Each structure stands twice: as C-alpha cells, then as structure tokens.
C-alpha cells in the first residue's frame, strides 16, 4: 500500500557547495541543528529528502550520486520517466534551492518479488550533485544497529495528510515524530507478515503516521549529533490509528547490498547506538 504522511497532531519546529568529499558531510543538516517538533518543515531541515516526480514517492540522498527509495515505488518504471528533485521544500511554485536530476540506473533488490519484503531500491543520478546547506546525504544504520522500543524517530514526506485528504497547496514538506515498536507488538498488530527485514514505528495514541505518496521516504533518528536513517517508508494497514504502526524497510539489513552496488564512495554507515 502506498504510504503518505498522516498527521493529525499540531507540532512546532526550531531552526538556519562542494562535491561530497568528507565523512562529516553525512547526517548533518546545518539549517536544522535542533528540532523540537513540527508539522511543516522549514527550508533545509531535511537536506537529504528527495521527491520523485511528478511527486508520487520520496527517497533519500545517501551519497552525492545515489538515492535510496522503496522498490515498489520504481518497479516497472523506465529511467526516462523518472526525475529526482533535491533540496526541495514545496511542491508548487518556484523553489530556488531545488535541483532536478535525471536517473541513469535503477537497481531493485533481487529478492523483491512485488510483495512486501526487501522493499528497497537504489537510483543513480546522472551526475554528482553539489552539496550545500539544502542538499546533503544522510547517514545510514549499519549492520548490528539496534533500535530499542520507543526510540524517537522522524517521518518526512509530501503525501496525503489523512485518508482521502491530499496535502494542500503549496505542498510544504511535512514531518512528525513516531516511536519504534517492539517487534512482537508489530507482528501481533499486522495482518500481513512482518519479517526481520522490517522495522515498525508509530504512536500508541495514534494521530501520526505515513500514508499515500510517502513511500520510499526516510525514517530517521538522531544518534549523538548525527541523523541516521533507520527505515524506508514501505507499507501499512491503517492511517494514524492507535497502536497501528507503519512498517519500514530496515536499512541496517542491507548494508552489504548497498555498498556492493554502489562500489566506490559508499554511503556513511553508523552502528546505532554508538558512543558520543
């Protein structure tokens, strides 16, 4: 099921080029050093956020030439039909910080069979993007990362804000906090199969979720001063209902697959948690 950001609780946010060359570039949003909460995201808050156009899915910039997204977003699509918009905050009107890139390669996980497991894909940009305050890659959760239940995480996207309720113009990027669920709780509350390749997050009280057109976007959490992507928005059964978590592709399970396919200049992987 396509996912998009379903947020019914009001929140607030506090916020401020060169080719990628240093590890310190990853997971550091200069314009968003401290987040208190939020509904509409301020410019530069999530500089790794990618919109696949015309907007139907999200993604995340993980190096200066690779985007991570969900397999179900790009399965069956041609490269010529895809455009990745980086540095974008709003979907309507002129966005001076946005960069539009063509895609020259689509790599879908070989074990993705059009169902729910292994819902992960890589997109190679037509050239290396120049990084700046509005365009930076995110760090990725490495193998052996552990996300304890109730770990605060952030979900981000341009999708619908409720069932049958599209994001209103000008289409400002939305954000919300959710908590990681115990694996056993997630399994018991989902009618579809939940595997070790998935991580669940949501709210015990409901009111915050991902929904249509948020698929492929990142779920991130802050580890020390670094933002690390733990999940890729994948599927869910209900929108923002209490104890009905959304299901995300567990990024840490795919470190070897990602690095093998990217080759030189791999993403920045971080074992979570790590000493500050």
């Amino acid at each position: 099921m396509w996912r998009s950001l379903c947020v019914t609780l009001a929140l607030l946010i506090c916020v401020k080029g060169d080719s990628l060359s240093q590890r310190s570039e990853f997971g550091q949003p200069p314009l968003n050093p401290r987040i208190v909460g939020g509904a509409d995201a301020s410019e530069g808050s999530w500089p790794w956020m990618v919109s696949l156009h015309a907007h139907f899915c999200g993604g995340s910039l993980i190096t200066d030439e690779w985007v991570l997204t969900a397999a179900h977003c790009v399965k069956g699509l041609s490269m010529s039909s895809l455009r990745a918009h980086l540095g974008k905050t709003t979907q309507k009107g002129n966005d001076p910080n946005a960069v539009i890139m063509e895609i020259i390669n689509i790599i879908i996980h070989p074990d993705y069979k059009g169902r729910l497991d292994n819902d992960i894909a890589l997109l190679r940009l037509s050239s290396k993007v120049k990084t700046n305050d509005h365009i930076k890659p995110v760090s990725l959760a490495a193998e052996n990362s552990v996300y304890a239940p109730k770990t605060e995480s952030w979900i981000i996207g341009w999708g619908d804000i409720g069932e049958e309720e599209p994001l209103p113009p000008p289409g400002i990027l939305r954000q919300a906090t959710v908590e990681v669920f115990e694996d056993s709780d997630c399994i018991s509350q989902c009618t579809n199969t939940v595997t070790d390749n998935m991580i669940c997050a949501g709210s015990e009280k409901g009111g915050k979720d991902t929904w249509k057109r948020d698929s492929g976007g990142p779920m991130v959490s802050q580890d020390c001063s670094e933002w690390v992507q733990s999940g890729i928005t994948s599927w869910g059964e209900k929108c923002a209902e209490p104890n009905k978590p959304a299901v995300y592709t567990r990024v840490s399970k795919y470190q070897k697959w990602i690095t093998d396919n990217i080759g030189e200049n791999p993403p920045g992987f971080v074992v979570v948690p790590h000493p500050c």
Side-chain angles (χ1 to χ4, degrees):
M1 178 183 293
W2 299 87
R3 302 291 293 171
S4 89
L5 201 60
C6 239
V7 183
T8 58
L9 296 185
L11 304 163
L12 297 172
I13 179 171
C14 269
V15 296
K16 179 169 176 117
D18 298 314
S19 293
L20 185 62
S21 59
Q22 297 183 353
R23 173 67 183 82
S24 60
E25 289 274 356
F26 292 85
Q28 303 291 339
L31 302 184
N32 193 15
R34 183 173 64 88
I35 293 176
V36 178
D40 287 348
S42 298
E43 290 186 4
S45 296
W46 310 106
W48 42 81
M49 191 66 196
V50 175
S51 174
L52 300 181
H53 265 231
H55 182 76
F56 60 92
C57 270
S60 55
L61 186 70
I62 59 172
T63 76
D64 53 6
E65 60 179 331
W66 288 91
V67 169
L68 189 66
T69 189
H72 78 259
C73 286
V74 294
K75 180 73 172 179
L77 296 183
S78 66
M79 290 180 289
S80 61
S81 67
L82 276 175
R83 295 292 184 275
H85 289 230
L86 293 76
K88 197 173 186 68
T89 302
T90 62
Q91 290 292 334
K92 302 293 184 182
N94 180 44
D95 194 328
N97 300 307
V99 174
I100 302 173
M101 304 289 289
E102 296 181 350
I103 304 299
I104 60 171
N105 198 7
I106 300 173
I107 304 174
I108 293 174
H109 195 280
D111 293 329
Y112 176 73
K113 305 301 181 183
R115 295 177 181 269
L116 303 175
D117 206 10
N118 301 301
D119 191 11
I120 185 171
L122 289 165
L123 308 178
R124 188 170 189 172
L125 303 176
S126 56
S127 62
K128 292 184 178 181
V129 66
K130 290 188 179 297
T131 61
N132 55 51
D133 285 353
H134 297 272
I135 300 175
K136 285 184 181 292
V138 66
S139 298
L140 300 180
E143 292 177 356
N144 302 318
S145 290
V146 176
Y147 284 88
K150 296 192 178 298
T151 297
E152 183 182 68
S153 303
W154 286 82
I155 50 177
I156 315 154
W158 285 280
D160 294 2
I161 58 173
E163 293 194 34
E164 308 303 326
E165 189 177 355
L167 182 66
I172 300 174
L173 183 64
R174 303 274 286 181
Q175 62 187 30
T177 55
V178 291
E179 293 182 341
V180 171
F181 271 52
E182 185 84 53
D183 288 346
S184 58
D185 289 341
C186 185
I187 292 170
S188 66
Q189 292 161 14
C190 292
T191 57
N192 288 310
T193 300
V194 177
T195 73
D196 291 341
N197 298 324
M198 303 171 188
I199 183 171
C200 298
S203 170
E204 292 182 356
K205 296 180 180 180
K208 295 181 285 188
D209 202 356
T210 50
W211 202 235
K212 295 178 181 177
R213 287 177 287 277
D214 274 336
S215 288
M219 179 171 73
V220 298
S221 62
Q222 194 169 22
D223 191 60
C224 300
S225 62
E226 189 168 4
W227 288 93
V228 182
Q229 181 174 351
S230 58
I232 302 167
T233 305
S234 181
W235 61 275
E237 297 171 339
K238 296 290 183 179
C239 179
E241 291 190 2
N243 285 311
K244 282 293 182 183
V247 184
Y248 302 81
T249 304
R250 190 183 290 266
V251 171
S252 61
K253 290 289 186 178
Y254 299 93
Q255 179 174 356
K256 185 177 186 303
W257 178 80
I258 292 170
T259 54
D260 285 351
N261 280 283
I262 288 179
E264 295 182 357
N265 301 317
F269 282 92
V270 177
V271 176
V272 177
H274 69 278
C276 296

